[in-house]
Amino acid sequence: MTERDRRALVVRGGWPGHAPEEAAELFVPFLEASGYDVTLEGSLESYADEEFMASLDLVVQCWTMGEILPDEMRGLRTAIANGTGFAGWHGGIVDSFRLATDYLQMVGGQFAAHAHDLIDHTIEIAPEHADHPIVAGISSIALHSEQYWVLADSYNEVLATTTIVPRDGDPWHEPVVSPAVWTRRWGAGRIFVCAAGHQLADLEVPPVRTIVERGILWASR
């Protein structure tokens, strides 16, 4: 491939608490260095543009909560099913458009809670996927940040998990293993999700940054 012969859309917005502009733009230089012509958008309107979406190899989304219009949802799902990759981290992909059930089905997981706010925790690579190109060479990752409790389904290929341990007074009584990194096929498209990334500093932790960069490239057409 020649330089800039791939196209990526980076969409950022929604709840400002995740610094969507700054977080998403951390990865723009990486995409450009990897040969992508990058379009930055601060709205979801492009999702409804069928011709534009069909031209993309990759969509990177950083959009926590908010609402998506029906034509935008149809456009996104159609593009992914036809081969456009879809990737993101934390609330920007796994806590987007809570009322859009078509979106939740496609992505394969939904944020339910961060039970203990900021907390020391680890992300453990699934031994059976230790050689997957997204996580190869990485073992456990130590973070002090939000630990996502995610509701998910068995169609995901879970590459890493985190264990949420109950404290005194918690209403659950056993440790809960939650997916932390997963991939998913949707039609001809690939989806990559990393549940870590609450703070900009989390995205600069070398193994987290590596997983997100590898996941973005893995998802691309």
Side-chain angles (χ1 to χ4, degrees), residues 136-168:
I138 298 170
S139 54
S140 64
I141 303 168
L143 292 174
H144 179 79
S145 189
E146 288 184 348
Q147 184 184 29
Y148 264 14
W149 182 320
V150 173
L151 307 180
D153 65 45
S154 62
Y155 187 52
N156 293 334
E157 179 182 47
V158 177
L159 306 183
T161 62
T162 190
T163 301
I164 302 162
V165 179
R167 295 176 171 181
D168 291 343

Side-chain angles (χ1 to χ4, degrees), residues 1-8 31-32 34-37 55-57:
M1 290 185 175
T2 59
E3 187 177 4
R4 300 287 189 272
D5 64 354
R6 291 179 289 184
R7 299 186 67 188
L31 286 167
E32 292 175 339
S34 300
Y36 288 85
D37 180 10
S55 75
L56 298 172
D57 299 290

